[in-house]
Amino acid sequence: MRGQVLGVDRTSGEGQISGEDGHRYTFRPGDWSDSKGPAVGARIDFATEGTRAVRIFRLPDSDVASVAYRQPPANDRNKIVAALLAFFLGVLGIHRFYLGRNGTGILMLVLSATIVGLVVTGIWAFIDTIRYLVMSDAEFEHRYARR
């Protein structure tokens, strides 16, 4: 069947096609059989499985600019930055706020108002510094990625 790409989600690569039969079909990035991928307005040829388009090919006469498929953004938090924040400003819990752990950040900030609390948060921050530095990148991203 032939149709036209109606829309493409730039982060997931999923989208919708309007078929010549008047029905709409959904697709995923893996459904594309050519290297160019989806582009809004592109004329295509495809097979259907229910309400899903599969084995999708762009027609040669379709000269619409390709919409590049992008992976969702990687973790924007860096473990080296977190370790440096923990080492230099850790008693105030700044590294915890940076990593999105606001509850423990507030706890560290409140504890640091006393001498005993400064000692406790100092030890806590030092342990966090070491943990961040020895933690693998994959584990750090898994624990502290924005959701």
Side-chain angles (χ1 to χ4, degrees):
M1 178 183 309
R2 295 198 174 192
Q4 185 174 14
V5 176
L6 294 176
V8 180
D9 183 305
R10 295 184 74 109
T11 56
S12 69
E14 297 177 352
Q16 204 169 48
I17 294 171
S18 175
E20 288 181 339
D21 62 354
H23 292 91
R24 291 187 178 187
Y25 301 92
T26 59
F27 65 86
R28 296 186 186 129
D31 297 329
W32 282 83
S33 299
D34 69 3
S35 61
K36 289 185 180 178
V40 175
R43 300 274 309 140
I44 52 160
D45 188 33
F46 63 98
T48 62
E49 288 180 1
T51 61
R52 188 159 160 221
V54 294
R55 295 184 300 281
I56 307 168
F57 290 91
R58 186 185 299 243
L59 294 174
D61 63 339
S62 183
D63 59 356
V64 177
S66 177
V67 175
Y69 172 72
R70 288 189 323 217
Q71 289 286 359
N75 188 5
D76 60 347
R77 295 173 175 145
N78 185 309
K79 74 178 193 174
I80 302 300
V81 172
L84 289 171
L85 287 171
F87 187 76
F88 291 109
L89 300 170
V91 294
L92 300 174
I94 302 301
H95 64 291
R96 291 289 178 152
F97 290 110
Y98 172 72
L99 294 173
R101 303 292 200 250
N102 296 335
T104 54
I106 290 170
L107 178 64
M108 289 181 83
L109 192 59
V110 169
L111 282 175
S112 65
T114 66
I115 299 295
V116 174
L118 277 174
V119 172
V120 170
T121 58
I123 294 168
W124 186 356
F126 183 73
I127 291 170
D128 279 350
T129 302
I130 302 301
R131 266 188 13 171
Y132 300 148
L133 291 174
V134 298
M135 189 180 294
S136 71
D137 291 337
E139 183 180 352
F140 183 86
E141 184 166 331
H142 175 72
R143 284 182 183 236
Y144 302 111
R146 289 190 197 271
R147 299 190 199 275

